[in-house]
Amino acid sequence: MSRLFTRFLTRLLAGLPLLAVAAHAFAAEGVGQIDLKQTNWTAIAMFVVFVGLTLVITYWAAMRTRSASAFYTAGGQISGMQNGLAIAGDYMSAASFLGISSLVYLNGFDGLIYSIGFLVGWPIIMALMAERLRNLGRFTFADVVSYRLSSTPTRTLSACGTLVTVAFYLIAQMVGAGQLIKLLSGSLLDYWQAEIIVGVLMILYVTFGGMLATTWVQIIKALMLLGGATFIALMVLVAFGFDVSALFAKAVEVSPKHDAIMSPGAFVGTTAYDKISTISLGVALMFGTAGLPHILMRFFTVSDQKEARKSVFWATTFIGYFYILTFIIGFGAITLVSTNPQYLDAKGALLGGANMPAIWLAHAVGGNLLLGFISAVAFATILAVVSGLTLAGASAISHDIFASVISRGRVNEKTEMLVSKYATVALGVVAILLGILFEKQNVAYMVGLAFAIAASSNFPVLILSMYWKGLSTRGAVIGGFLGLISAVVLTVLSKGIWVTVLGNSAAIFPFSNPALFSMPLAFVAIWFFSITDSSAEAKSEAGKFDAQYVRSMTGIGLDAASPH
Amino acid sequence: MKNDAASRIMNNPDFVELVAKRGRFSWILTIIMLVVYYGFIVLVAYFKDFLSIKIAGVITLAFPIGLAVIIVAIALTGIYVLQANGEYDRLTRKIVAGEH
C-alpha cells in the first residue's frame, strides 16, 4: 500500500511544473464558467477508487478481527507513527480543513487563532496523560476511570459523556457531508442519498474491520489530505515565486478588509463578553481535546507507553503542519479565488457557500483534476472521521454499558463483540436519520459544544482519576454529570442556539462557549463531593490508589490486563 | 497488582527518582504550554494594537508570534519524547526488571 502511495505522490509531483504553468494561465484568464449543476466525474472516479481501496482494507482487517481486543484496539499492534497519523486524521476533519481555510479566507489572521487552539491541547496530553492512559486502559477511557472506582456509576457517566460528545460531533460531520456531496456531485446525488452512502460505508468499515480497518482508513485519508493540502499550498507559493510577503501584500490589496486581515479582528469581537468568550473557547479547545473519546481510544491501539508518546509527537507535528498549510491556502484563496469571477455569483459571494475557498482554490491552481482529487479527499475525510466516532460510541455501549453495567462483567467476549456490532449498525442508522433531520438546521455550534462537554465532563473525571488519591465515586459521578449538564444547558442558553436556532431576541448566557465556567464547576464539584464522602467505599478506593499509581507510571501489570 | 508489591515498588529508589524527575519535567512542560497559549490569547483579546505592529511590509507581529506558538507546541512534545525515551525508559526498565 505504501508503494501505491509513493507511486501516486510521485505522479502528483511529476505534474508539478506543468500545473505551475497552468496555475498562471488560470489566474490570468480563467477557464470558463464553473457549472455547479454539472457532475464532476473526476471527483467521482477518484472517490470510487478510494472506496474500493478502503473496502479491500476492511476485508483484510476483517480476517484479523476475531477477538474483542482486535475489534476495539487493533490488538494493540499499531505503531506510534501510524497511530500519530491516525490521530491527526481524526483531528483533521472536513470541518477543520474547509472551515479553517474558509475562516482565513474571510478574516485572515483570525483563522490561525482558532487552529492554534486546536493544537495546544496536545503537549498537555503528552506531559500529563498519554503514558498513564496507555498503562491503565484497555478498550475505553472508562476503563481508566473505573480502575479503582465503582464500575457501574463511573462507567455510566463515562458512557454518557462519550455518547453525548460523539452525537454532537457526528451530527456536525453528517450534515457537512450531505451538503458537500450534494454540491460536489452536481445533480447526481440528493442530500439524503449522500447521508445513506456515508452511513452505510461507515457501518461496513466498523462492523467488519473494527479498529484495524478504521485506523487504516484514517491513515490513508490523512496522507491524501496532507498530500493534497501540501500540493495546493505549494502551487500558491509557486504562483508568487515563493515570496510569502508578495502573497500577503496581494491579499491585503484585494481583500475588502485590507489591512484588517493581518491582525486579530472580528473573530475576537470588541465587547468584554466577546473577549471572555474567546478565552472560554480557548479552554474548550485545549482541554476538550484531552476528553474526546475517539481520540482517547487511540491510545489503547499501541503496545506500550513509548509508542503512546511517539503517537502524540507525530500527531502534533502533522496537525501543526496541516494548520500552517490551511493558513497558506486561506490566503491563497483570497488572492486567487476572490479575484476570479468564475468562482463568484452575481453578488460577488462564493459559489456553493462559505466553506468552498479550499475547493475552488484547488481548481484555480490545478484545474478539474485537482478539484476532483480534493473533493474526493473531503468526502474521504468525513467518512474516516465518522467511522472513528461511531467506533468510540459503539465501544461505550458494548464495553461500558452492556458488558459492565448491565451484565456486571458476566459476559463472554463473543457476545460483547456482537453487541458492539449491533451498536455500530444502530449508531449508523441514528447518524443517517439525525443527518437528514438536521439538514436545514444551523449546526455551527455543535463541534464547539462537543469540545465543551469533553472538557467539562470527560476530562476532569479522567485526569483526577489518574492524579488525585482522594477522588471518590460519589465525587466523580456528581461532578462529571454537573459538568456535562451545565455545558449543555449553558450552550442552549447562548446565542448560537437561543437566538440563532430558537429565534429568541437575546441570549440568556452572554458568552458563546460555556467551558470557562462549566469546566471549573465540574472540578470544584468533584473535589467537594469527594472530600465530604466519608463512606467506607471511598476509603477503600483511596486504598487502591498506590497500586494504580505504580502501574500508571511503569506499566507493570499491563500485559495481564490487555493480552496481545 | 497486590498492594504489598505496590508499596515495595513505591519504596524502590529508582521508582522514587523516576516519579520525581518525570513529574517535575511534565509540569514544567505543561506550565510552559499554558503560559505561551494563554499569553497568546490574552494578547489577541486585549492587546490587538501590539499584535498589529507591522514588521515587514504588510506582515504584522501577529504572524511570527502565532507561528511561534505552533512551533513551541511541536517542540515541547519532541523534547518530552527525547527525554522519556532515554532516562525515564532506562529507569522504568530497571524497576520492571527488579520485579521479575
Side-chain angles (χ1 to χ4, degrees), chain A residues 86-111:
Chain A
I87 291 174
D90 268 325
Y91 221 58
M92 301 181 297
S93 61
S96 66
F97 177 52
L98 302 178
I100 291 178
S101 51
S102 151
L103 257 178
V104 177
Y105 175 79
L106 293 172
N107 300 313
F109 182 77
D110 279 1

Side-chain angles (χ1 to χ4, degrees), chain A residues 227-265:
Chain A
T230 302
F231 185 73
I232 299 179
L234 237 116
M235 296 304 292
V236 169
L237 294 177
V238 166
F240 286 91
F242 286 93
D243 181 357
V244 181
S245 50
L247 166 68
F248 290 132
K250 176 79 177 170
V252 168
E253 183 197 324
V254 300
S255 161
K257 295 183 180 165
H258 298 295
D259 262 341
I261 60 170
M262 300 303 284
S263 45

Side-chain angles (χ1 to χ4, degrees), chain A residues 445 449 452 486-498 509 514:
Chain A
Y445 62 89
L449 177 58
S486 62
V488 174
V489 169
L490 291 178
T491 303
V492 170
L493 298 179
S494 72
K495 188 165 168 271
I497 297 188
W498 197 248
F509 180 65

Side-chain angles (χ1 to χ4, degrees), chain A residues 523-552:
Chain A
F523 272 109
V524 169
I526 293 171
W527 168 78
F528 179 77
F529 288 102
S530 290
I531 57 157
T532 55
D533 186 351
S534 53
S535 63
E537 197 191 316
K539 277 200 186 64
S540 121
E541 285 163 2
K544 293 179 199 154
F545 184 79
D546 285 357
Q548 177 194 343
Y549 183 65
V550 167
R551 173 162 160 179
S552 77

Side-chain angles (χ1 to χ4, degrees), chain A residues 393-404:
Chain A
S395 308
I397 293 174
S398 60
H399 184 63
D400 297 327
I401 299 282
F402 176 76
S404 299

Side-chain angles (χ1 to χ4, degrees), chain A residues 109 112-113 115-124 126-128 131 135 147 244-245 248-249 252 259 261-266 268-270 272 275-276 278-279 281-287 305-306 309-310 312-314 316-318 320-321 323-324 327 331 467 543-544 546-547 549-557, chain B residues 1-3 5-7 9-10 15 18-20 22-23 25-27 29-31 33-34 36-38 40-48 51-54 56-67 69-81 83-86 88-89 92-93 95-97 99-100:
Chain A
F109 182 77
L112 195 66
I113 304 172
S115 42
I116 285 175
F118 279 109
L119 187 69
V120 291
W122 287 104
I124 311 278
M126 174 70 107
L128 300 182
E131 298 166 332
N135 286 339
Y147 193 91
V244 181
S245 50
F248 290 132
V252 168
D259 262 341
I261 60 170
M262 300 303 284
S263 45
V268 183
T270 44
K275 290 177 178 180
I276 302 287
T278 305
I279 295 172
L281 178 71
V283 169
L285 295 181
M286 183 178 224
F287 297 104
Q305 55 177 353
K306 184 171 188 169
R309 291 196 284 270
K310 281 197 216 156
V312 185
F313 170 70
W314 285 115
T316 314
T317 306
F318 288 127
Y321 171 66
Y323 286 146
I324 292 174
F327 197 60
F331 271 94
Y467 278 84
K544 293 179 199 154
D546 285 357
Y549 183 65
V550 167
R551 173 162 160 179
S552 77
M553 300 302 284
T554 60
I556 292 173
Chain B
M1 189 185 312
K2 294 265 168 16
N3 264 333
S7 55
I9 297 174
M10 293 208 30
F15 184 80
L18 171 71
V19 167
R22 183 155 69 184
F25 193 59
S26 294
W27 285 111
L29 293 192
T30 304
I31 289 165
M33 193 69 253
L34 290 175
V36 167
Y37 176 56
Y38 288 100
F40 173 71
I41 288 294
V42 166
L43 280 183
V44 160
Y46 298 99
F47 298 90
K48 226 153 107 176
L51 288 177
S52 307
I53 296 172
K54 286 184 181 156
V58 296
I59 296 176
T60 60
L61 209 51
F63 282 66
I65 292 178
L67 196 64
V69 179
I70 293 181
I71 291 168
V72 165
I74 296 174
L76 288 180
T77 60
I79 291 168
Y80 187 86
V81 168
Q83 181 69 18
N85 280 359
Y88 305 154
D89 274 357
T92 308
R93 275 195 300 272
I95 300 163
V96 174
E99 287 298 306
H100 283 295

Side-chain angles (χ1 to χ4, degrees), chain A residues 463-489:
Chain A
I463 191 115
L464 288 178
S465 76
M466 295 190 287
Y467 278 84
W468 187 36
K469 189 173 186 167
L471 176 72
S472 81
T473 300
R474 186 177 87 157
V477 170
I478 296 178
F481 273 116
L482 265 178
L484 202 171
I485 293 165
S486 62
V488 174
V489 169

